[in-house]
């Protein structure tokens, strides 16, 4: 639980301590009920990026913290849990109305880290030449392997002004949204068509076998540079037919043909499952190859309730053709949570939807996930769109 | 003319050869009038990034080409010029209608490199501890030092649907636009106010002296990381009062107080001149400090013809709060020019307007310049905007 | 036990597995008694640098191996131990005479890793801002804190030809030497004086307080570059009086003045203890400052049995002024152990003696330890020498 | 003359300015004849590494100095030359006896830079895909292409004590030596054999074709890492038979088979010429392959006057198996020249002899050249030695 596989990923122990710390640093100070900080040094160790909350341990060095131990971090979590339970049962109405929005934020924050915990463990295991299986029989993995897919259908939408975004959270857990989804605003969208489902592994394999990774004209310039610098030949956790790793050590994993590593270990490529572990560059190149394009995040959201749309939530995050810019009129949260989203609004691309590893109920039609365009360790795939001329 | 100061900049000789090559590789092959390539190796040496036109010399190594010599490159230019003159005078109507758009593109391309030539020379000279003056008396430098400025005025715009962008170029030089400005399309814009003029060096100095570079809460996360990693304390070519370089060697440059290096060498800071050499991060942090924000590129374009707007063109490129994404319905040029713009549409920020070093007549209301958010060697400043609540 | 703090250090689990593998790969194949390899993948995972024994896991990624688990590695060790016990009890005389030298080599190899295990754990803990104590009460730590030292005495040696080195190991454990100590050979040594004891922390503090780390003329060129690039101000694990880490978290460590971190956690600087955690560059600069020099490895060895010499073994490794070159007539071991020492004979400096953490009986007068000149995570100090004019 | 091809190499203009500065900074201040410094900034710009002589321009940035111009640097040289002529003609005996050693040192220093000027220009040209010829008809190049060689002969030397090194320079130009060659001292050398001539290109090609660059067991560990990291397949300027560069552009260079680039441009490999452009790692691996070894620097020097020895001076620098450590009793020069040699005595390997590009009369039997083991841009080859058992 202690190892960090790359600067962008965090150890399991760190996720546990950091989500505890978030409640300790952001929620509990507002409760005013005599909370005692568990350990003065933990704020330094487990603050992620909140400049206003003080100096912190460098992100790339999170894996060096063999102390505090897992047992100590579990005791920390229990201490924070008990304090939160105390606050929930004791808070008067005035305190509660101030506290509830932060408590909900803390829970939503933890849900985000639950998915990151999965993606980071899978990344760590992907660095091990044994390619061990983490959760071979988890139901979430099964969602990734549906029945064979019919051909995708194009669903057309008429031009017009649409309302995009979400009203600010009001503190109830029913109506939560992050600040980056706000405020709701009007957008004019030209007519377009969008696919009813995600691109599958089988379709993506066609792109590979048609020379997609060798055809510069399909790629954005930065994408082509990434392909060459990193020698990308397939999505992040795919094993080419000549990759010896599948057969390394004594496992029951398949050893021939295209295979895919994931939470479930190494499995034969499932042609009908949604492709994941794509960078934005790969998603955009695939769309180009398919004589289509990625939808903008507005187009994605506008199509959310359209009849016939499938796999919008719960299968794979979907790269859009929208950079992660602030919405018109965007205002960050106030106080400690001010740094939650707004300061990351440059150099990243919006993903919409959610994945099989996103906690139930966490995502919604207006949810804006974001990652740098080269990121490949998320459960990130794509859905196609195209212009109507 | 041979030296390269960083991978993003190019030697003067290379600019001269590359713009010649662009005509040789993109324009002349279509003319069908028996053009003889000057030297077979030049396509390898002076192709910038056109994958479809073959392998090329690595960008960071452009400064290693002490051969061909300047004299040889000048002969190359003369050879190409003569061939172009021959084509212009001899082409029949059918050839001309195909050729004219490419010829115009070649000229516009060269205009872009004329400005890059200036920014790259100034960057090179900025790396020399002597800080030599390049063009101490050029009129373009004088535009940077206007009379003292009045306070900026806010100009308000009503909400509504606006047409943004430019029709595709039709081959005449009167109606040129790059493909990234096309197609024209409808955008809904909420009400906003925009400043009638650019932010000045004096105003930016207030930001510095108020601790702008030490206040993390003003900055985007990547911006704050850049400030700390590069120890930024002011715009790129500003000399702090304790910088010894101004007084190095025997020059007539001022040696005390805040000073600014540029094409004109080292001069005393001119409080009324538009601030330039800013990264996007600095522009965004300044706007934050000023309780305002950067305009989106749509807002900038919608205000272009608004009465009272000043310094839109010809003073400094203006960072917007818009990532460089494709317009709805965007289609790249066909043929060799396909790679001109579209493949760079990720990871960059749009700048609008033009600078004192942009060739006369090159820019327009719909012009989209773009650079990565950390770039500081362009004549890049900002104009403020704000929401109307 | 799984974490790797830098590419040069290894996780505790890896040391345990690697020393087991060394016996499995180098010793057991010669025994011919039907040994069954524990896991085919372990040779890939735990081979350190033996090219002849196949491909291996990259050194900087040893910390990514969360599988096999510690329990699995302990089972591996037990499997190998049992096989070795079987071999020792069953081998006939012919097998034994071939096997014994390898078995002794395997044990000597493991002793080397026992010390590296300590230095690597201490380095890992030094990266933790809590600076936890590993073995606060280990007797080896106590050796580092002797009674106050008298002034060092210079011991003079006459010029002449001396025999340096050790006869090749004969397979008995009484007469072991590594191949790099062989063959014995004649060396002419000019007259010199050598200090009877090691340089202490108190003496080294004088060097610091006299501006040693700010005086370029005392340093080798590469050393001065290292001082500036790494901002060295003291030996690796020293805490300056203004370092806040000693007081971080709730410990009983001293929080004021110069302090030293080590296996024992943070303690007040002990002026009489030998200074350790020095790079060669620092040792050489100190000697320069003290108007002396480091002894050559020949001088060190020639003085080994000289009456009055103290602290030759068991306190700290001692940097010499000898690069790690092969002895005249050097021949590497044959077979799998060929790569043990010889291929590292470039770019490194010889250290003589042994440290408080070297296993009892492991070192000897002819022992040649070696590290790159910038290494500071070993228990490495120095002894002075000087010319006799 | 302005371009720098890598941090280890310097522009031609810089060599010219630096050798002028050396006289200005080290020689002329001692003359006391009213010398006027040419430009105060040049000491900053053209000091190489003399800490005692003040701050200086960073070495990797020497190629950014497009100012001062070549004409200005030539005027600088003329200014210094005239001052030196004045000093030589006017100095009284007392001044002269102090000045002469420095003047000789300045001249010897300039001779060293004359060779570096050649190696640096050739390196720069080697980075140009046109591989232009610098001095196609220079006689020094011709020395590299002698008549076909007979088989090498082994010359045996008896064991014993030998005197190595050179007395300190006495200020006359007849008896000059650098401080690193001093003092003369006794060394005991075991019996050995040394080859009467250098290894040829033809012999080295045998090593390549026998798989030398694919056989890890021949290499030192750092050498093997360098081979793989840099994908070395031959000496630095060799063109493999499938290298397209020889045929690039319109030249008269051969385009087939193994070819060698050098001051003379691209030529067919001359099997009888001494191999050069080797790193120490390659020289050591070749010797290993040839069942021999490199001589120590002592062995090389002891064999200098041995009858039958050839190609000791004037063909190629010869890597030895000696790290560049100080001689017993070594004392650096005093004053400004203190930093000339001593501070580089770590991490480098001694080369003996001299090359076809070393100025006539510069080298001698005791001369110690030194470079890091991976350096390949010098005219560096090897001579074999072997033990006598």
């Amino acid at each position: 639980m202690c190892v960090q596989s790359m600067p962008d990923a965090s150890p399991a122990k760190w996720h546990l301590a950091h989500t505890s710390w978030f409640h300790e640093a952001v929620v509990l100070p507002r409760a005013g009920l005599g909370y005692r900080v568990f350990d003065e040094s933990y704020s330094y160790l487990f603050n992620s990026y909140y400049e206003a909350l003080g100096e912190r341990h460098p992100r790339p060095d999170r894996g060096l913290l063999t102390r505090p131990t897992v047992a100590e971090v579990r005791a920390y979590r229990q201490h924070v849990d008990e304090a939160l339970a105390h606050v929930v049962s004791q808070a008067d109405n005035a305190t509660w109305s101030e506290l509830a929005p932060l408590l909900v934020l803390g829970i939503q924050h933890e849900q985000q880290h639950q998915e990151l915990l999965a993606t980071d463990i899978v990344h760590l295991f992907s660095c091990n030449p044994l390619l061990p299986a983490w959760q071979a029989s988890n139901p979430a993995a099964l969602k990734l392997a549906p029945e064979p897919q019919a051909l995708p259908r194009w669903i057309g939408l008429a031009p017009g002004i649409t309302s995009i975004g979400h009203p600010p959270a009001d503190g109830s857990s029913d109506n939560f949204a992050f600040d980056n989804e706000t405020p709701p605003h009007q957008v004019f969208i030209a007519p377009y068509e969008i696919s009813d489902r995600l691109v599958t592994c089988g379709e993506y394999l066609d792109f590979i076998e048609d020379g997609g990774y060798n055809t510069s004209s399909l790629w954005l310039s930065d994408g082509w540079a990434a392909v060459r610098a990193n020698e990308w030949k397939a999505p992040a956790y795919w094993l080419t037919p000549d990759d010896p790793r599948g057969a390394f050590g004594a496992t029951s994993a398949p050893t021939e043909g295209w295979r895919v590593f994931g939470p479930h270990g190494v499995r034969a490529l499932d042609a009908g499952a949604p492709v994941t572990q794509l960078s934005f560059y790969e998603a955009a190149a695939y769309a180009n190859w398919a004589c289509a394009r990625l939808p903008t995040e507005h187009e994605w959201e506008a199509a959310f309730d359209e009849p016939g749309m499938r796999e919008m939530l719960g299968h794979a995050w979907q790269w859009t053709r929208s950079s992660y810019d602030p919405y018109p009129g965007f205002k960050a949260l106030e106080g400690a949570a001010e740094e939650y989203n707004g300061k990351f609004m440059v150099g990243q691309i919006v993903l919409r939807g959610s994945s099989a590893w996103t906690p139930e109920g966490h995502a919604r039609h207006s949810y804006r996930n974001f990652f740098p365009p080269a990121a490949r360790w998320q459960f990130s795939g794509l859905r196609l769109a195209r212009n109507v001329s």
Side-chain angles (χ1 to χ4, degrees), chain A:
Chain A
M1 293 182 63
C2 193
V3 172
Q4 179 174 34
S5 58
M6 64 167 170
D8 286 339
S10 295
K13 184 173 76 178
W14 189 92
H15 283 295
L16 180 58
H18 167 69
T19 51
S20 308
W21 167 84
F22 188 90
H23 282 106
E24 183 178 78
V26 175
V27 181
L28 289 168
R30 303 289 188 88
L33 288 164
Y35 175 71
R36 177 184 55 79
V37 164
F38 183 76
D39 187 306
E40 296 289 347
S41 68
Y42 284 16
S43 179
Y44 180 86
L45 297 178
F46 301 120
N47 178 355
S48 53
Y49 55 67
Y50 296 86
E51 301 280 348
L53 297 175
E55 290 290 309
R56 75 216 71 90
H57 191 62
R59 179 170 189 155
D61 296 346
R62 288 175 185 168
L64 299 177
L65 300 174
T66 51
R67 305 288 180 280
T69 62
V70 171
E72 288 168 323
V73 169
R74 286 204 161 118
Y76 178 38
R77 159 56 56 114
Q78 186 173 350
H79 175 87
V80 169
D81 278 352
E82 288 169 1
L84 287 171
H86 180 68
V87 162
V88 168
S89 65
Q90 301 297 320
D92 58 26
N93 281 358
T95 304
W96 182 249
S97 68
E98 190 190 359
L99 215 60
L102 293 169
L103 198 56
V104 172
L105 180 65
I107 291 166
Q108 296 285 335
H109 171 257
E110 180 146 338
Q111 288 180 332
Q112 292 183 311
H113 279 276
Q114 285 168 8
E115 179 160 4
L116 290 172
L117 182 64
T119 58
D120 292 0
I121 288 172
V122 175
H123 185 267
L124 171 61
F125 281 29
S126 80
C127 299
N128 189 322
L130 303 179
L131 292 177
W134 174 46
Q135 294 202 352
S137 56
N138 185 297
L142 300 185
K143 281 201 222 170
L144 289 168
E147 68 281 10
Q149 291 274 12
L151 284 179
R153 285 194 317 117
W154 292 108
I155 294 186
L157 282 96
I161 289 184
T162 315
S163 181
I164 293 293
H166 197 285
D170 61 7
S172 75
S173 58
D174 294 345
N175 196 28
F176 179 79
F178 285 109
D179 56 3
N180 65 358
E181 304 168 52
T182 68
H185 60 284
Q186 307 285 89
V187 170
F188 181 87
I189 303 180
Y192 68 104
E193 293 181 338
I194 190 165
S195 175
D196 70 327
R197 67 158 169 83
L198 301 181
V199 171
T200 64
C201 289
E203 288 162 343
Y204 198 85
L205 184 58
D206 290 343
F207 165 71
I208 295 174
E209 294 185 339
D210 195 38
Y213 283 85
N214 301 317
T215 309
S216 66
S217 60
L218 296 172
W219 295 79
L220 287 159
S221 180
D222 286 359
W224 184 240
V227 165
R228 288 191 298 181
N230 304 303
E231 301 182 10
W232 286 348
K233 298 184 187 333
Y237 299 155
W238 287 31
L239 282 75
T240 57
D242 61 349
D243 191 315
R245 284 178 301 160
F248 207 50
T251 75
S252 59
T255 59
E256 295 189 353
W258 284 93
R259 291 147 294 153
V260 176
F261 171 75
H264 43 66
V266 175
R267 290 189 180 180
L269 182 147
D270 179 345
V275 61
T276 62
Q277 318 310 134
L278 291 186
S279 66
F280 167 74
Y281 300 133
E282 290 161 296
Y286 174 87
N288 220 352
W289 173 81
C291 300
R293 59 172 174 82
L294 300 175
T296 65
E297 62 167 325
H298 300 149
E299 290 170 340
W300 192 97
E301 187 169 333
F304 188 81
D305 289 325
E306 202 65 18
M309 293 300 290
R310 292 186 292 143
E311 300 179 336
M312 294 298 268
L313 298 179
H315 292 77
W317 292 101
Q318 299 156 47
W319 288 108
T320 70
R321 194 60 177 92
S322 296
S323 296
Y324 182 48
D325 285 339
Y327 279 171
F330 166 71
K331 275 201 186 319
L333 294 173
E334 293 191 355
E338 178 189 353
E339 302 179 52
Y340 203 96
N341 275 311
K343 74 179 187 180
F344 299 109
M345 289 179 175
V346 67
Q348 315 223 38
I349 308 288
V350 174
L351 300 100
R352 291 301 194 103
S354 65
S355 86
W357 292 84
T358 312
E360 196 70 31
H362 179 71
R364 71 198 74 83
H365 71 288
S366 59
Y367 197 97
R368 304 175 82 197
N369 199 352
F370 53 91
F371 277 96
R376 310 211 304 170
W377 90 109
Q378 296 300 307
F379 301 112
S380 47
L382 79 153
R383 172 189 305 274
L384 296 176
R386 64 183 184 189
N387 299 334
V388 174
S389 55

